[in-house]
Amino acid sequence: MSAPAAGTLVSALDVGAAIDDITDATSWLGAVAEEEGWPEATRFALELSLEEALTNVVSYGFQGTHAAPRIRIECYRLPEGRVAVQLIDNGIPFDPTLLAEPEVPDSIEDAKIGGHGVQLMRHFLETLAYAREGEENHLTLVARRPA
């Protein structure tokens, strides 16, 4: 999967595998959005999706592994005003695109906390794609063009 097709790398960031690093990553992405002049909807979709994906990687991606965690985030400018963010990590193989959507509860009391991150990403993104390349997970988030 490497770089998104026809994409131009705008910026990249290496982050640690701690919960506090998620804030650093979303702040970095916000600065890129500002610099690139993204529409608010694009910025929101990518910041929310990056936060969700990175939370999962940090929380679960390195359980039972002995390798030092490596997490890299790359931001690409795509044709037609679209933007891609790629999250690359050396954690355990995990394809979030295979997760089924959570069941809709009958009532608020029956609703479960958690498990809705991928559903949110699917809602706000044009594309959510995964590939395992060697020892790395590559999750690509592509923002929709604003209407």
Side-chain angles (χ1 to χ4, degrees):
M1 180 175 286
S2 338
T8 303
L9 182 64
V10 174
S11 187
L13 178 72
D14 293 314
V15 295
I19 291 293
D20 294 345
D21 295 318
I22 298 167
T23 304
D24 295 342
T26 55
S27 295
W28 163 80
L29 191 60
V32 172
E34 195 73 31
E35 204 172 282
E36 290 285 306
W38 297 352
E40 190 57 39
T42 300
R43 179 179 180 160
F44 177 80
L46 287 172
E47 283 184 350
L48 174 74
S49 298
L50 177 61
E51 184 174 340
E52 289 292 335
L54 201 48
T55 298
N56 287 338
V57 170
V58 168
S59 299
Y60 310 110
F62 298 98
Q63 290 180 349
T65 66
H66 299 292
R70 286 189 324 274
I71 302 171
R72 181 172 179 81
I73 306 162
E74 298 176 344
C75 183
Y76 293 87
R77 190 181 307 124
L78 302 178
E80 302 171 2
R82 293 161 40 247
V83 179
V85 171
Q86 192 167 69
L87 179 58
I88 303 162
D89 69 82
N90 66 329
I92 56 176
F94 178 70
D95 183 352
T97 66
L98 298 178
L99 290 176
E101 294 203 9
E103 289 184 29
V104 177
D106 293 329
S107 68
I108 277 289
E109 291 79 24
D110 294 335
K112 293 182 179 140
I113 295 174
H116 298 278
V118 173
Q119 185 177 9
L120 276 172
M121 288 188 268
R122 286 179 180 138
H123 176 77
F124 285 105
L125 297 173
E126 175 185 298
T127 307
L128 178 64
Y130 170 84
R132 181 75 178 180
E133 295 184 12
E135 296 297 312
E136 294 178 329
N137 295 300
H138 290 244
L139 185 65
T140 304
L141 318 167
V142 178
R144 285 190 184 112
R145 285 181 57 193

